[in-house]
Amino acid sequence: MSDDSADANKMPLLEHLIELRQRLLYSVIALFVFFVICFFFAQELYNFLVQPLADILLERSTPEHQRRMIFTDLTEVFFTHVKVAFFFGAFIACPIFLSQIWLFVAPGLYKHEKSTLAPFLIASPILFFIGGAMVYYAIMPMAWEFFLSFEVPANEGGLAVQLEAKVNEYLSLVMKLIFAFGLCFQLPVIMTLLARVGMASSEGMRAKRKYAIVGVFVVAAIFTPPDPLSQISLAVPIIILYEVSIWMAKLVEKKREEREEEMERELDDETGTD
């Protein structure tokens, strides 16, 4: 009897582990498939990432001297293409990752928990995409223009100071910026979830606003190129998102109060009926 009882207790856990393995396998297969597809278009995808810099360099080039990018390691371009394919493959596969997470955890959630968590799973990749699009279309052109302003033309008795960008270093910088902006744009999702579980409150976020602003500029200084324009361009949207987080936390608290009041009324009605 004890063995049967133990087996009965272990089976649900074993089933969950099997399901988790299956969900992870689906996610890995999806990532591999999109990685292979993106690898065949790695050069085109890299050209897309390098376009903001290419547009500026094209304006500065002359027919006698066309601007270029270089690589100093024999395998550098190949592994750069691998990184590009993995980067875009992971981004495209992100909805599949999130759907597998949802399919795994949803059966164990209550109805109101499902209705709470589902919007965040949808909002998270959208906000990441908005952050990445912002850095690509707004921040990178301004930042590259700023850094290229330090080039020095050749003159008598002096040498020219000119950019010779390396392929892998440029990709690393671009990926760092996209990840930084994409992750920072997750702030409303994170803060709202914390408010939902009671680990944060709108009043607490308001009281710590000045500390949050200082922290935002520190984060912007770490994750962006060392020019004031890029840092401000990241800091200002995050501050706005912080204010949005306060508003969303307030909505969560209001709904929680309404739900508690409704539960109290139902309890009072049941007590009165008895």
Side-chain angles (χ1 to χ4, degrees):
M1 292 293 291
S2 60
D3 293 339
D4 294 339
S5 178
D7 291 339
N9 291 330
K10 290 179 180 178
M11 283 303 293
L13 176 60
L14 182 60
E15 291 175 0
H16 286 310
L17 291 176
I18 293 174
E19 183 182 2
L20 177 61
R21 183 186 65 178
Q22 185 179 15
R23 301 299 178 192
L24 291 175
L25 182 61
Y26 289 156
S27 300
V28 171
I29 291 174
L31 176 60
F32 178 76
V33 170
F34 287 120
F35 166 77
V36 172
I37 295 173
C38 291
F39 186 78
F40 284 103
F41 300 95
Q43 185 59 54
E44 290 78 6
L45 295 173
Y46 186 82
N47 291 340
F48 172 76
L49 294 177
V50 83
Q51 195 62 47
L53 178 62
D55 292 338
I56 301 174
L57 291 180
L58 185 62
E59 297 176 358
R60 295 170 175 264
S61 64
T62 61
E64 297 80 16
H65 181 68
Q66 295 292 327
R67 304 300 293 267
R68 62 179 184 173
M69 298 188 73
I70 66 171
F71 64 98
T72 56
D73 185 3
L74 193 61
T75 62
E76 182 175 332
V77 175
F78 170 76
F79 283 110
T80 299
H81 284 183
V82 171
K83 292 179 182 178
V84 169
F86 184 83
F87 179 76
F88 279 93
F91 184 80
I92 297 172
C94 182
I96 297 178
F97 299 159
L98 295 175
S99 66
Q100 292 303 313
I101 293 173
W102 174 253
L103 291 173
F104 179 72
V105 302
L109 300 177
Y110 292 106
K111 184 177 180 181
H112 70 275
E113 291 175 334
K114 291 181 181 180
S115 62
T116 299
L117 185 59
F120 294 110
L121 292 177
I122 298 173
S124 183
I126 293 175
L127 288 173
F128 189 95
F129 177 80
I130 293 174
M134 178 180 175
V135 70
Y136 180 84
Y137 290 105
I139 306 303
M140 283 167 52
M142 294 187 295
W144 299 171
E145 191 75 46
F146 172 80
F147 289 124
L148 287 170
S149 66
F150 290 95
E151 289 189 327
V152 178
N155 51 44
E156 294 184 4
L159 295 175
V161 178
Q162 199 170 55
L163 173 70
E164 292 284 352
K166 287 180 87 267
V167 172
N168 67 330
E169 291 180 354
Y170 177 82
L171 176 65
S172 297
L173 178 60
V174 170
M175 290 175 63
K176 179 181 177 182
L177 287 174
I178 292 177
F179 271 118
F181 275 72
L183 292 177
C184 289
F185 270 62
Q186 302 300 309
L187 183 63
V189 174
I190 296 172
M191 298 308 297
T192 306
L193 283 174
L194 291 176
R196 178 71 184 178
V197 298
M199 297 179 63
S201 66
S202 58
E203 290 298 327
M205 285 188 280
R206 287 195 188 97
K208 295 179 175 61
R209 181 186 282 118
K210 57 183 179 181
Y211 303 107
I213 293 175
V214 173
V216 163
F217 277 97
V218 171
V219 171
I222 294 173
F223 286 105
T224 59
D227 67 285
L229 185 60
S230 298
Q231 295 172 7
I232 293 174
S233 299
L234 175 59
V236 171
I238 296 178
I239 293 172
I240 295 174
L241 290 171
Y242 187 82
E243 296 298 325
V244 173
S245 301
I246 295 175
W247 177 73
M248 293 182 68
K250 185 65 177 177
L251 289 180
V252 169
E253 292 168 353
K254 184 178 179 181
K255 290 182 178 180
R256 184 193 301 142
E257 292 174 358
E258 292 175 352
R259 188 166 59 251
E260 290 176 353
E261 291 176 357
E262 183 178 354
M263 292 175 63
E264 289 179 359
R265 285 195 300 267
E266 292 177 355
L267 182 61
D268 293 339
D269 291 341
E270 292 177 0
T271 305
T273 303
D274 295 341

